[in-house]
Amino acid sequence: MALYKLGSAGDCVARFQARLQSLGYYRGPVDGAFGGGTDAAIKAFQAANGLRVDGVVGDETWRKLLGEPIVPPPIAAKPVEDRCVAITGAFETNAGPPDCFAGVSGDFDGQALSFGVCQWNFGQDSLQPLLSAMLSNHEAVARSIFQDHFPVLAAALAAAKDDLMAFARSIQHPVKHTINEPWRGMLRELGRTAEFQAIEVAAANRLIETARAMCREYGLRSERALALMFDIVVQNGSIQPIVKARIQKDFEALAPTRGEDPEVARMRIVANRRAEAANPRWIEDVRIRKLCIANGAGKVHGIDYDLGEQYGITLNPVP
């Protein structure tokens, strides 16, 4: 069963926000972002209609609110590569699709401007190819977003790197490094387009292939395992040889447990061992994030996730 909850985003969220607004439960913007205001409105609606008050829009709440069967999140019908990119993006941005593809940050790390699921940036020359591909291959869409700012962006991308970096720094707060409007809004709208999301997934393909190789290396075969390895590649880079040795030793000592899928047991070992090898400051953050994927559900940065119902990421074998 599909569901929507805190952190979800997109047109389906906007639909029930509009309905909640018309019924007087919601006073915020109909922006497709399932935040605290939408959560409170859903709970108030559920309480008034004798439903379980949990802030989750599942089939029962959806039917009561909109009078029809629930519409699955569009990401669940996408190829597994898109779904893996999306869940990592959600962890990185605390927002579901499409907004997880639109995370934008300024020069807090010396990279001038970072954007997208993998925070491609100007400093490492990784963002320029994505934006250039969008302007070249989908010019009409890009022009509709950037309007009279389109020539400015095109000129910046064609300029020398120092000039591009200076441009990026000129459109953000010099201390807080937050991107100024209208650039922040335009970039986020770009990330919400199907065209730029496809460019992001294509750019992440090398990391996806690395994750596939890691799955084979550790004898894992499921969609959830691919999502786990991709998240490791993006957040942590790799699994060091000494960590691999510990994982393999744990695999050998793994005893069959009634009712537990061996794939899940192995993923939990990988999740815990990779977390233990992280910077001490981030160990628990890494552990919680990785175990959420291994278990198929969990709470990351205060947001509840169900990978199957929200992203269609299951224990089914990867094609």
Side-chain angles (χ1 to χ4, degrees):
M1 181 188 76
L3 56 81
Y4 301 84
K5 57 173 72 173
L6 191 68
S8 295
D11 292 341
C12 290
V13 175
R15 283 189 62 193
F16 59 73
Q17 282 179 326
R19 178 60 175 158
L20 289 164
Q21 192 178 72
S22 71
L23 294 173
Y25 291 101
Y26 181 61
R27 299 174 183 82
V30 179
D31 57 4
F34 198 137
T38 305
D39 180 68
I42 287 293
K43 288 176 179 175
F45 174 81
Q46 290 172 328
N49 286 274
L51 302 169
R52 180 182 177 185
V53 181
D54 57 6
V56 175
V57 179
D59 188 61
E60 190 175 11
T61 296
W62 181 286
R63 284 177 181 273
K64 193 73 174 180
L65 187 59
L66 296 172
E68 62 183 40
I70 193 168
V71 176
I75 191 64
K78 295 278 190 177
V80 67
E81 294 84 359
D82 296 61
R83 288 177 273 143
C84 290
V85 170
I87 188 62
T88 286
F91 292 160
E92 293 284 334
T93 63
N94 295 329
D99 284 5
C100 64
F101 289 91
V104 58
S105 56
D107 195 36
F108 71 96
D109 56 359
Q111 305 304 322
L113 187 146
S114 302
F115 185 59
V117 168
C118 295
Q119 289 292 278
W120 293 280
N121 59 75
F122 288 149
Q124 297 176 327
D125 300 314
S126 56
L127 179 56
Q128 293 92 315
L130 277 67
L131 294 175
S132 295
M134 184 69 191
L135 269 57
S136 297
N137 301 330
H138 307 286
E139 181 179 341
V141 176
R143 284 187 179 276
S144 72
I145 293 169
F146 291 100
Q147 296 290 326
D148 55 327
H149 297 281
F150 180 92
V152 177
L153 178 60
L157 289 170
K161 183 174 178 178
D162 286 348
D163 293 333
L164 173 61
M165 300 278 280
F167 161 73
R169 288 167 178 142
S170 76
I171 61 170
Q172 59 188 274
H173 191 282
V175 178
K176 297 179 181 178
H177 304 303
T178 52
I179 306 301
N180 299 331
E181 295 293 358
W183 287 99
R184 180 181 183 276
M186 292 187 297
L187 287 167
R188 288 185 59 77
E189 188 61 23
L190 178 70
R192 295 183 182 114
T193 66
E195 292 82 1
F196 197 76
Q197 288 171 29
I199 289 172
E200 288 194 45
V201 173
N205 184 63
R206 177 181 61 81
L207 304 180
I208 288 283
E209 289 308 309
T210 298
R212 286 183 185 275
M214 291 169 67
C215 284
R216 292 191 293 269
E217 189 176 359
Y218 291 90
L220 300 170
R221 58 185 183 83
S222 66
E223 295 176 338
R224 205 189 293 173
L226 183 62
L228 173 63
M229 293 306 190
F230 178 73
D231 198 65
I232 287 173
V233 173
V234 172
Q235 187 188 31
N236 312 109
S238 64
I239 296 177
Q240 302 94 327
I242 190 170
V243 179
K244 177 182 177 181
R246 288 171 175 159
I247 290 171
Q248 297 290 4
K249 184 177 179 181
D250 290 345
F251 280 3
E252 292 169 6
L254 193 62
T257 302
R258 184 185 297 272
E260 183 177 52
D261 190 308
E263 178 98 348
V264 175
R266 286 175 168 244
M267 284 191 288
R268 286 176 181 156
I269 289 171
V270 172
N272 280 306
R273 285 299 189 184
R274 187 58 190 84
E276 290 165 5
N279 183 311
R281 182 181 177 187
W282 305 113
I283 286 177
E284 285 311 306
D285 180 73
V286 174
R287 189 190 311 278
I288 289 168
R289 180 163 156 170
K290 300 301 181 283
L291 284 175
C292 176
I293 300 176
N295 293 327
K299 186 187 293 285
V300 179
H301 304 147
I303 297 174
D304 287 308
Y305 290 92
D306 186 306
L307 273 67
E309 294 182 350
Q310 292 176 280
Y311 293 85
I313 297 174
T314 69
L315 290 175
N316 290 337
V318 173

